[in-house]
Amino acid sequence: MPAQGPLLGIGQVLAKLSGEFPDVSGSKLRFLEERGLVHPARTPSGYRKFSAADVSRLRLILSMQRDCYLPLAVIKDYLADVDAGLNPPMPGAALPGGPSILPGGRRFSRDELTREAGATPMLVQDAFTANVIAPADSYGEESLAVLKALVQLQRSGIEPRHLRGFRQAAERELSLIESALMPVAKRRDPQSRAKVAELALEIAGQLEVVRSSLIRAALGRIVP
């Protein structure tokens, strides 16, 4: 664990985290505390004070949400095992070649991304054209994992153009999530915005469970 140092207020914690997590807010930190994932100290006047260990814990929580779309319940169970002195496997890290959920992940230029994935420039361009990967100034480990998967799929004759329906399916799922969150989103207060962000990740995680189950069940038709 990080060495104990000066305790930090919410504003100082946000300054440390906002570069890596631009959407983090004071409401988000208070929401995570309410859900029992982080336990900052309190001054006699009631102000929250975060230790270096608290900041490290928050960085891990936010990374697990952003990179693996893990529900808070899963993250909370993992942290409870860690707090109990166990050595649980990192949720969402079991798939070989999957995106890292560790904080401070690498960033890649387009050429670096192509080289790291073992892809060709044409495959990368095809991925952009098919909207499987969005063009950007730099790319994270999730884009690298997707491009590596595209390299393997290409060897089986599956090209990015065959995956255009994936983007359409993602948009349909987004519409489902937006509809489900509309009652909360209408409130527009800071606490509701934090709740919307959290519930969106929770719903996305549950949709992923359903999608994976349907694919596995369908595989039974071709792999008895």
Side-chain angles (χ1 to χ4, degrees):
M1 299 295 292
Q4 182 67 44
L7 297 179
L8 306 176
I10 282 186
Q12 293 169 302
V13 174
L14 292 176
K16 285 182 172 292
L17 296 176
S18 59
E20 188 176 353
F21 306 99
D23 295 332
V24 71
S25 64
S27 296
K28 174 70 171 180
L29 299 188
R30 289 188 286 271
F31 181 75
L32 292 175
E33 180 188 6
E34 290 171 3
R35 296 293 294 268
L37 278 89
V38 66
H39 309 282
R42 293 283 186 135
T43 66
S45 54
Y47 290 102
R48 296 171 177 83
K49 290 294 181 178
F50 296 81
S51 67
D54 291 328
V55 176
S56 179
R57 188 181 182 98
L58 285 167
R59 184 174 283 112
L60 176 60
I61 292 167
L62 295 171
S63 296
M64 294 170 80
Q65 284 190 303
R66 179 194 63 192
D67 299 337
C68 287
Y69 307 101
L70 292 174
L72 275 189
V74 173
I75 298 174
K76 186 175 182 179
D77 288 345
Y78 168 77
L79 293 175
D81 286 344
V82 172
D83 293 340
L86 304 177
N87 187 27
M90 186 75 79
L95 295 178
S100 170
I101 60 177
L102 296 177
R106 291 177 59 192
R107 303 295 298 179
F108 307 91
S109 68
R110 178 170 173 173
D111 289 343
E112 289 170 337
L113 182 74
T114 304
R115 183 171 59 254
E116 289 282 336
T120 64
M122 180 62 72
L123 179 63
V124 175
Q125 184 58 51
D126 288 346
F128 293 159
T129 302
N131 289 322
V132 179
I133 298 176
D137 293 332
S138 66
Y139 303 87
E141 297 202 15
E142 184 170 356
S143 294
L144 177 60
V146 171
L147 188 54
K148 285 182 175 179
L150 292 176
V151 170
Q152 296 298 321
L153 289 169
Q154 190 179 51
R155 293 171 182 168
S156 299
I158 300 175
E159 301 288 344
R161 67 178 184 275
H162 300 141
L163 306 179
R164 292 180 187 274
F166 280 46
R167 172 66 64 180
Q168 297 168 356
E171 293 296 334
R172 287 195 295 270
E173 288 189 11
L174 179 61
S175 295
L176 285 175
I177 294 172
E178 288 178 335
S179 297
L181 296 178
M182 193 173 296
V184 180
K186 285 181 177 178
R187 298 174 192 167
R188 299 188 180 281
D189 58 277
Q191 194 67 21
S192 294
R193 286 198 297 269
K195 188 173 183 181
V196 165
E198 172 55 31
L199 288 175
L201 290 171
E202 295 274 357
I203 295 171
Q206 297 304 325
L207 290 173
E208 177 63 29
V209 170
V210 174
R211 185 192 310 111
S212 297
S213 175
L214 292 172
I215 291 174
R216 286 194 297 270
L219 284 173
R221 297 199 298 267
I222 59 174
V223 184

